[in-house]
Amino acid sequence: ISRQETFSNFLVASVMAEEELPGILILDIGGTHGVLENLVPLLKKHFRLITMKEFLENKKEMSKKIQSVFVFECRPTVDRELLESLPNLKVIGNSGVGVDHLDLKMISNFGVKVTNTPHAVADSTADIGMALMLASARRLVEGCQIAVSPDTKCFAVDWLGVEVTRATLGIVGMGSIGYKVAQRARAFDMRILYHNRNRRRKEEEEAVGAHYCEKMEDLLQQSDFVMLVVNLTPETHKLIGKKELGLMKPTATLINISRGAVIDQDALVEALQNKVIRAAALDVTYPEPLPRDHPLLKLNNIIITPHIGTATVQAIRMMAEEAIANMLAVLNGQPIPSEVFPK
Amino acid sequence: TKPCGRRSSSFPSLDPPAGFGQELPYVLIDCIGGRYGVYEDHAEFLKKYFHLIAMKEYLENKKFLSKKIRAIYMWFHKPVIKEELLQSLPNLKIVASSGVGIDHLDLNLLSRYGVKVSNTPFVVSTDTADLGMALMLASSRRLVEGYQIAVSPDTEYFPADWLGAEVSGATLGIVGMGTIGYKVAERAKAFEMKILYHNRNQRNKEEESAVGASYCKKIDDLLQQSDFVLLSVNLTPQTHKLIGKRELELMKPTATLINISRGLVVDQDALVEALQNKVIKAAALDVTYPEPLPRDHPLLKLKNVIITPHIGSATKKTRRLMMENMMESIQAGLRGLPIPNEVLL
């Protein structure tokens, strides 16, 4: 799917009275965790919007109307109790590609489908991966602090970062997002290694100049930058631990745009404190946010961003469109673009 | 393999040190080490080829040293060269200046004294282009703000309605499509950006289509269409205050200005006003005038600005390549050979 083709192409403009529209459950509109207000008209075109508050106040009537749940930034929480109270629920449409917050097996047992939005997230998340790599390598955050600090009198000339151009980038997880990272990194003349469950086709590898590392150890030992772009599954939980960090170069940087739990955070703290690796740049941690006394917040060789991989006006909208298209496909009995199955 | 960005030198570079009994050429530097001096590991290398004389040493022994000094190794604008210095160095042949910018040198003055000048234009280009991309991404995605939220003692949760703007697919207008500007274009293309450029001269068709760049003969057209305006011109009388109130108003109110050229290319007062009044959305500056800015300067207080301390070429590898280039230029200049990276008037 090209950038231009948003899922607005797939949206069927139903000509139905509002009461006849399928009910969709959301946590809330606006506020700290609710669906963004400017997405509401998009949802209302195809669904009858029911907030959690409305549902709880009038369970008897609302429960039968709800055919879909729109999960935005992991909310509302989909637990057994909720599933039991929604007899006509057909689909859970997740905004975003990660579904580690959903119990896929349990949901499947209720005969409910789960969909995600892999296409809408890819560009913005790949961009954040590149942004973190560049910011870390060139010490951008530190530099900003120096530039504005009241104590700064002169700019020191021996203040240096490390090169990104022509360095070696190891991508762990070469799905849609990982591949887009490779496309961008190639333009910086980077040497690209990747590790993935399955090897990509030769043409795909050649298009971005990526070399397959069947063993992740080989990737870790050769990379100047290691970027994690896997999804979180039992297999990738703590994928990067003490051993893996020890295999990395002492001059290397670890970048995480996947999920916090892919890294053994305690091992990471130790590795950064002891300069086993040079630095880390994390868009994701476990939990989010970290407790305010967490050692990761005190280290000066780390940058953390508040899970903003898809936090752009454009991506948020595209995610809603993709989720809506998926949910409508389920409700209309059409082929589902992005269904997620339990293992 | 030779790292790219370093022009393949056909000159006798890195020659073995002078034979026994032959004196090494005397080269004036500001100082070694500390925050502003020649790096110690660089000095160790240079000492194989030159007799390095620090300014302090020179001033203590002017009578003897003034005739000996045949070159000046100018590392980040030091030592400062005034006419008085040129008058007292009768055998000065060449000044090698670090970096690509030469706006800090009085080329006419140096020419009158018959002193040649060299810079290091190519080795800085990839790092500077990388920093331009870093600034564009950091600004657009609000990276510095985001970091502050992530580490702030007051943060209890991450708000859902906190958004930046996408770089992928946006329109980038490059003002100044020299070596650095072109490398920015190469990088931006991979983000599927639409690329416009303005330059004194249009590049050839192959160069344009390799990066998908469209020429804007009038800078106004570029300013009106761009989501990001990146300045990568050199500083000359023609580019001084190139971006002023008029140009900022031509930009979209949702646009970001990125400066990796020289502070004086932008009318800073006009920029402050434009940012305060949201005439443009944001700015990201690696360069200002002066550097650093006075601590009470309004640019330091604006929320929609990020400033970095002129770190365009600040990596270990690039600084090493700069030093080697300068060494080669001095060697060639002292031997009467064609000078690599000579700056001509």
Side-chain angles (χ1 to χ4, degrees):
Chain A
I1 289 275
S2 81
R3 253 200 83 76
Q4 309 321 310
E5 282 174 332
T6 66
F7 277 85
S8 39
N9 294 341
F10 288 78
L11 296 179
V12 176
S14 328
V15 185
M16 279 202 257
E18 205 218 314
E19 308 86 61
E20 291 180 43
L21 293 176
I24 190 168
L25 179 66
I26 63 172
L27 176 73
D28 196 1
I29 295 171
T32 56
H33 300 297
V35 170
L36 297 192
E37 293 197 28
N38 58 5
L39 297 179
V40 167
L42 206 55
L43 289 163
K44 279 190 168 171
K45 242 170 97 173
H46 305 280
F47 300 98
R48 184 197 162 158
L49 229 55
I50 300 167
T51 64
M52 205 55 171
K53 187 166 181 284
E54 287 172 330
F55 168 64
L56 294 170
E57 281 171 358
N58 194 357
K59 258 193 179 176
K60 228 172 171 209
E61 197 195 324
M62 294 292 158
S63 61
K64 292 192 199 75
K65 295 196 194 293
I66 291 168
Q67 295 188 49
S68 48
V69 178
F70 179 54
V71 175
F72 179 79
E73 308 234 347
C74 303
R75 291 176 169 90
T77 306
V78 177
D79 55 17
R80 182 172 290 277
E81 196 191 324
L82 182 67
L83 292 167
E84 281 169 350
S85 59
L86 300 174
N88 294 322
L89 182 64
K90 305 274 182 304
V91 58
I92 297 181
N94 189 61
S95 170
V97 64
V99 289
D100 46 280
H101 54 287
L102 297 170
D103 186 336
L104 298 178
K105 199 153 192 290
M106 176 182 71
I107 296 167
S108 175
N109 288 340
F110 280 86
V112 176
K113 294 187 190 293
V114 175
T115 65
N116 63 353
T117 63
H119 302 106
V121 305
D123 282 333
S124 52
T125 312
D127 285 1
I128 270 287
M130 295 300 295
L132 286 170
M133 177 165 65
L134 285 159
S136 179
R138 302 302 294 272
R139 299 170 69 187
L140 192 136
V141 175
E142 261 186 274
C144 287
Q145 289 165 343
I146 289 169
V148 304
S149 162
D151 305 325
T152 293
K153 296 193 176 64
C154 276
F155 292 158
V157 309
D158 63 341
W159 191 97
L160 304 175
V162 299
E163 281 190 345
V164 166
T165 290
R166 280 184 308 277
T168 299
L169 169 63
I171 301 174
V172 181
M174 191 81 130
S176 311
I177 300 171
Y179 196 75
K180 280 183 184 275
V181 171
Q183 286 172 325
R184 285 149 177 70
R186 183 165 206 261
F188 289 75
D189 237 332
M190 297 187 88
R191 179 172 164 238
I192 300 170
L193 309 173
Y194 78 101
H195 176 72
N196 206 39
R197 277 174 299 194
N198 309 303
R199 190 170 174 168
R200 281 205 172 232
R201 294 191 330 261
K202 201 159 187 256
E203 305 81 60
E204 292 176 325
E205 287 184 346
E206 283 172 4
V208 295
H211 302 275
Y212 184 58
C213 289
E214 193 171 341
K215 294 199 287 190
M216 196 172 69
E217 290 73 29
D218 294 331
L219 179 150
L220 296 172
Q221 285 171 320
Q222 298 178 66
S223 298
D224 300 304
F225 299 91
V226 174
M227 191 176 304
L228 307 176
V229 203
V230 289
N231 52 350
L232 177 61
T233 65
E235 291 76 37
T236 62
H237 184 259
K238 290 195 177 170
L239 179 68
I240 304 295
K242 189 178 163 108
K243 170 171 169 277
E244 289 72 28
L245 292 162
L247 285 168
M248 284 171 66
K249 294 181 176 183
T251 51
T253 304
L254 179 67
I255 300 141
N256 193 2
I257 54 170
S258 63
R259 283 291 180 269
V262 170
I263 297 178
D264 176 345
Q265 266 177 193
D266 295 334
L268 178 63
V269 171
E270 210 182 306
L272 288 167
Q273 282 170 341
N274 300 333
K275 309 272 201 273
V276 171
I277 62 171
R278 185 196 77 108
L282 315 174
D283 187 41
V284 288
T285 59
Y286 184 77
E288 287 168 11
L290 288 168
R292 298 296 86 189
D293 60 355
H294 198 282
L296 278 176
L297 300 183
K298 301 184 182 60
L299 294 165
N300 60 9
N301 49 351
I302 188 169
I303 48 178
I304 306 176
T305 44
H307 199 153
I308 52 174
T310 56
T312 69
V313 173
Q314 295 90 333
I316 289 283
R317 189 168 185 89
M318 294 203 315
M319 282 154 67
E321 289 176 347
E322 190 172 353
I324 291 169
N326 271 279
M327 289 186 284
L328 289 176
V330 171
L331 298 183
N332 296 330
Q334 289 160 342
I336 306 162
S338 309
E339 186 175 356
V340 191
F341 302 96
K343 287 272 180 297
Chain B
T1 47
K2 267 211 172 97
C4 61
R6 179 191 188 179
R7 204 180 56 183
S8 194
S9 183
S10 53
F11 305 97
S13 63
L14 307 182
D15 275 4
F20 183 79
Q22 222 183 320
E23 204 182 37
L24 295 177
Y26 281 62
V27 176
L28 181 67
I29 62 170
D30 189 63
C31 64
I32 295 173
R35 302 178 78 209
Y36 314 107
V38 174
Y39 303 161
E40 293 193 20
D41 55 328
H42 289 191
E44 285 315 298
F45 180 81
L46 289 165
K47 280 176 182 176
K48 294 191 195 134
Y49 303 92
F50 305 131
H51 199 130
L52 295 180
I53 305 291
M55 206 52 172
K56 185 167 181 283
E57 203 189 333
Y58 166 70
L59 293 170
E60 286 168 356
N61 197 357
K62 254 190 179 177
K63 228 175 167 198
F64 173 69
L65 290 169
S66 60
K67 291 193 199 73
K68 293 284 214 177
I69 287 165
R70 299 172 62 210
I72 296 179
Y73 182 90
M74 194 180 214
W75 187 245
F76 292 93
H77 304 199
K78 292 185 165 82
V80 175
I81 296 176
K82 296 206 169 72
E83 182 148 21
E84 193 193 326
L85 183 66
L86 296 174
Q87 282 167 344
S88 56
L89 298 174
N91 293 318
L92 181 66
K93 296 276 174 295
I94 177 166
V95 170
S97 177
S98 62
V100 60
I102 37 128
D103 45 282
H104 58 286
L105 294 170
D106 187 337
L107 296 178
N108 284 310
L109 176 68
L110 288 158
S111 175
R112 284 210 309 275
Y113 280 80
V115 177
K116 293 191 189 278
V117 178
S118 70
N119 62 350
T120 63
F122 301 108
V123 292
V124 302
S125 36
T126 56
D127 274 359
T128 312
D130 287 359
L131 190 77
M133 296 299 296
L135 286 170
M136 177 163 66
L137 285 160
S139 178
S140 191
R141 301 301 294 268
R142 300 170 68 186
L143 193 138
V144 178
E145 262 186 275
Y147 166 80
Q148 288 162 347
I149 289 170
V151 304
S152 162
D154 304 326
T155 293
E156 289 169 11
Y157 59 84
F158 293 158
D161 59 348
W162 190 97
L163 302 176
E166 199 111 330
V167 165
S168 280
T171 301
L172 169 64
I174 301 174
V175 181
M177 191 82 132
T179 310
I180 295 170
Y182 195 76
K183 287 192 186 284
V184 172
E186 285 174 341
R187 284 146 180 71
K189 176 175 201 267
F191 289 74
E192 289 177 275
M193 299 189 85
K194 182 177 171 209
I195 300 169
L196 309 171
Y197 77 102
H198 174 74
N199 207 38
R200 276 174 299 194
N201 310 304
Q202 187 168 3
R203 282 200 172 236
N204 68 45
K205 253 193 146 76
E206 296 78 52
E207 290 174 328
E208 283 186 343
S209 56
V211 295
S214 309
Y215 184 57
C216 289
K217 193 157 181 194
K218 292 199 290 186
I219 197 176
D220 296 25
D221 294 330
L222 179 150
L223 295 170
Q224 285 170 323
Q225 297 179 64
S226 298
D227 300 305
F228 300 92
V229 174
L230 189 145
L231 308 176
S232 46
V233 289
N234 52 349
L235 177 61
T236 64
Q238 291 75 36
T239 62
H240 183 260
K241 289 195 179 170
L242 178 67
I243 304 295
K245 187 178 161 96
R246 190 189 85 92
E247 289 70 29
L248 292 161
E249 281 171 1
L250 284 169
M251 283 171 66
K252 293 180 177 185
T254 51
T256 302
L257 180 69
I258 301 145
N259 193 1
I260 54 168
S261 64
R262 281 291 179 270
L264 285 171
V265 171
V266 176
D267 176 346
Q268 262 174 197
D269 295 335
L271 178 62
V272 170
E273 211 183 304
L275 289 165
Q276 282 169 342
N277 300 333
K278 310 271 201 275
V279 169
I280 64 171
K281 187 178 82 155
L285 316 171
D286 187 43
V287 287
T288 58
Y289 185 77
E291 285 168 13
L293 288 167
R295 299 294 86 189
D296 59 357
H297 197 281
L299 275 176
L300 302 184
K301 300 183 183 63
L302 291 166
K303 273 186 163 313
N304 48 352
V305 186
I306 51 175
I307 305 176
T308 44
H310 200 154
I311 52 174
S313 68
T315 67
K316 209 167 172 175
K317 273 195 196 157
T318 293
R319 293 284 163 90
R320 178 110 195 152
L321 290 172
M322 280 162 67
M323 178 275 287
E324 288 176 0
N325 274 200
M326 291 164 72
M327 193 274 282
E328 287 176 14
S329 298
I330 290 174
Q331 274 199 326
L334 296 183
R335 291 172 185 182
L337 293 168
I339 298 167
N341 302 317
E342 184 175 359
V343 179
L344 301 164
L345 258 181

